[in-house]
Amino acid sequence: MRLFLDTASIDEVRDVVRRGILSGVTTNPTLMAKESGVSYRERVVEICETVKGPVSAECVSRELAELLVEARDVASWHPNVVVKIPIDETGLEATSTLAREAIKINMTLVFSANQALLAAIAGATYVSPFVGRIDDAGQDGMEVVREAVEIFDKYHFPSQVLAASLRHPRHVIAAARAGAPIATVPYVVLKAMARHPLTDAGIERFAADARMYQKEPAREQANP
Ligand code: E4P
């Protein structure tokens, strides 16, 4: 299983890349709106040059012709860019056209297994069910991940389920158990995954105990 970071912050990407656990990044217009003094293109290229792996950048055009122009432009920003397209009928048409041009698509805003199936048939490289937002609507977001994984496996679709909109560390474990090959997680969730209060307490206790013997003067070697 691979972990992607869900962010448009270059500082967050740099911090996680150092740990050697990052395989890619997903961005979206909402995450980008939090950044200032940099264009979307500049930031995506900066992220591509920082992480070795796919970086998703989202299209916002709603008409097919404009969407195709935007998607081809976004794909040209860097070889590692994956074009994010929201699923609807126009998005599916664009995806099947772009997939034939070998442009990688992350089909986003997926809220049902039916949408995931259509995205896979259209040729999306990644399919992103939004687990947290489905949960927010009172349904079981992880069930969509489970169903999509089962369907893709059963019919040998090359599309990969990218579990998205994950809100806490248990979501990541549930996505891993559901067989999602990729989970994209916010920075705070990734930080929380690495921590446990008993680890903190254990490190503190070992450090205190080590100080006990580090303080002792070195014993003289007895002469034989
Ligand atoms: C994924 O590609 C999306 O950018 C993201 O996971 C959405 O998460 P949210 O529902 O917390 O905004």
Side-chain angles (χ1 to χ4, degrees), residues 20 28 33 56 62 72 80 89 133 139 149 153 156 177 182 191 200 212:
N28 67 37
S56 292
R62 299 310 317 135
R72 288 176 185 129
N80 287 357
E89 289 176 42
R133 294 194 197 185
Q139 292 169 306
V149 167
D153 283 355
H156 309 292
R177 295 185 70 190
I182 307 163
K191 296 291 254 192
D200 296 342
M212 302 294 286

Side-chain angles (χ1 to χ4, degrees), residues 6 26-28 31 84 108 128 130 133 164-167 184:
D6 197 28
T26 51
T27 67
N28 67 37
L31 294 169
K84 231 175 169 186
T108 190
S128 295
F130 272 38
R133 294 194 197 185
S165 185
L166 303 180
R167 303 275 170 78
T184 188

Side-chain angles (χ1 to χ4, degrees), residues 127-139:
V127 178
S128 295
F130 272 38
V131 174
R133 294 194 197 185
I134 299 171
D135 288 354
D136 291 344
Q139 292 169 306

Side-chain angles (χ1 to χ4, degrees), residues 41-58:
R41 179 188 179 136
E42 286 164 345
R43 177 49 50 86
V44 166
V45 170
E46 210 175 355
I47 294 172
C48 287
E49 283 166 359
T50 307
V51 64
K52 283 197 185 77
V55 176
S56 292
E58 190 147 349

Side-chain angles (χ1 to χ4, degrees), residues 100 133 147-148 157 214:
R100 284 195 295 274
R133 294 194 197 185
E147 288 178 333
F157 282 114
Q214 284 167 346

Side-chain angles (χ1 to χ4, degrees), residues 103-185:
I103 291 177
K104 289 187 174 162
I105 306 297
N106 174 358
M107 192 119 252
T108 190
L109 288 167
V110 168
F111 291 93
S112 73
N114 272 309
Q115 290 180 320
L117 174 60
L118 290 172
I121 292 171
T125 302
Y126 304 101
V127 178
S128 295
F130 272 38
V131 174
R133 294 194 197 185
I134 299 171
D135 288 354
D136 291 344
Q139 292 169 306
D140 181 358
M142 208 52 72
E143 184 58 15
V144 177
V145 172
R146 280 190 286 273
E147 288 178 333
V149 167
E150 184 188 338
I151 293 164
F152 292 7
D153 283 355
K154 190 164 189 162
Y155 295 99
H156 309 292
F157 282 114
S159 310
Q160 296 184 61
V161 176
L162 198 169
S165 185
L166 303 180
R167 303 275 170 78
H168 50 74
R170 284 310 299 176
H171 264 159
V172 185
I173 296 305
R177 295 185 70 190
I182 307 163
T184 188
V185 289

Side-chain angles (χ1 to χ4, degrees), residues 5-16 22 25-28 31-32 34-36 38 43-44 46-47 50 187:
L5 196 61
D6 197 28
T7 189
S9 158
I10 191 66
D11 293 337
E12 290 182 0
V13 173
R14 285 194 184 121
D15 185 49
V16 180
L22 195 61
V25 173
T26 51
T27 67
N28 67 37
L31 294 169
M32 192 56 210
K34 296 178 191 163
E35 304 296 306
S36 55
V38 65
R43 177 49 50 86
V44 166
E46 210 175 355
I47 294 172
T50 307
Y187 183 72

